Amino acid sequence: MTPQDASDANDSRWSDLDRPPLNGAALRRALMREGGLWSGLDVVQRTGSTNSDLVALAAAGKAAEGAVVVAEEQSAGRGRLDRQWTAPARSGLFFSVLLRPSEVPVARWGWLPLLTGVAVATGLARAAGVDTALKWPNDLLVTVDGEERKTGGILAERAGDGGVVVGVGINVTLRADELPVPQAGSLALAGAVSTDRDPLLRGVLRSLEQWYAKWRAADGDPALSGLQEAYAAGCATLGRTVRAQLPGDRSVVGEAVAIDGDGRLVIATGEGVQEPVGAGDIVHLRPA
């Protein structure tokens, strides 16, 4: 099915004046241009998962590179490891984009979630005035009352042989009594100067377009494109003592010392071994 733009209809189901609907037509005018990345943008009132929708559209040949699907509310939003992502309607930005980096070696596509993290953090810093840190590999952190809180996440999925769908979820106006867990946060709770979702989404997508263009121009080389350096600079995991929960119920504890050329987190253990971790659940440990 093709998503229909809920914001273009006379939808009176929203009543929270602090959470107006997105303006799909205005977003398309601002973001879609000849020669640009964004080829289409649909705002849907409610869906299960924007990632699932866009993967299905790509599989059916109904989505070109640069297609964007945005949901005002998701009933089956997913994070890494199939964790559920829930939030009240219009309280955040929940969107997915279709990328087809055909000229980039597939071995470098693993950088796309990290690239998206850098782009989102850059866009939010400009549009919301909030310092957003990156927790490897795909969490977005803000500071609320002196504590790091997760305010967003990124999920990348293959879409056929030549595409990747990257989904982003960001808590924007979530209030303290709406937090799903105490460790969650939102841009509003972090003191954002703006929580207007239209300019926030424009800022994030423009930043993503710029970083994606630089990365593609460098054939996906993370050093040449500046991506590896930018990610390391904004990564809250580096320099911390962490525990990596790895597949097979194995764990590694040590200091996160680097992001290598493959986008892996390098952990220096107490035994003097530097172990690169490509997949796993990372826990920031408090100093002893």
Side-chain angles (χ1 to χ4, degrees), residues 13 59 71 99 279:
R13 286 184 288 175
L99 304 175

Side-chain angles (χ1 to χ4, degrees), residues 97-242:
V97 303
L98 175 61
L99 304 175
R100 297 187 185 277
S102 56
E103 70 281 9
V104 174
V106 173
R108 290 174 171 170
W109 288 17
W111 274 97
L112 282 171
L114 306 184
L115 181 155
T116 303
V118 170
V120 171
T122 304
L124 292 179
R126 294 170 181 164
V130 169
D131 185 13
T132 306
L134 305 169
K135 179 187 173 190
W136 188 92
N138 63 352
D139 287 349
L140 305 165
L141 306 179
V142 294
T143 301
V144 179
D145 297 329
E147 293 186 353
E148 282 182 346
R149 303 277 191 89
K150 178 178 175 178
T151 195
I154 298 159
L155 179 66
E157 299 181 75
R158 289 293 295 268
D161 292 334
V164 178
V165 168
V166 183
V168 178
I170 304 167
N171 293 332
V172 177
T173 60
L174 215 63
R175 299 181 271 268
D177 61 352
E178 295 173 323
L179 297 175
V181 293
Q183 298 80 19
S186 69
L187 299 183
L189 292 174
V193 297
S194 172
T195 56
D196 185 338
R197 293 180 305 141
D198 281 79
L200 293 182
L201 183 57
R202 290 198 304 268
V204 167
L205 288 176
R206 284 171 177 156
S207 179
L208 180 53
E209 181 176 13
Q210 292 165 1
W211 272 107
Y212 183 60
K214 289 173 63 176
W215 179 74
R216 288 181 71 174
D219 294 325
D221 187 313
L224 187 60
S225 63
L227 176 58
Q228 187 174 4
E229 180 180 5
Y231 189 89
C235 183
T237 303
L238 292 180
R240 304 276 286 268
T241 300
V242 301

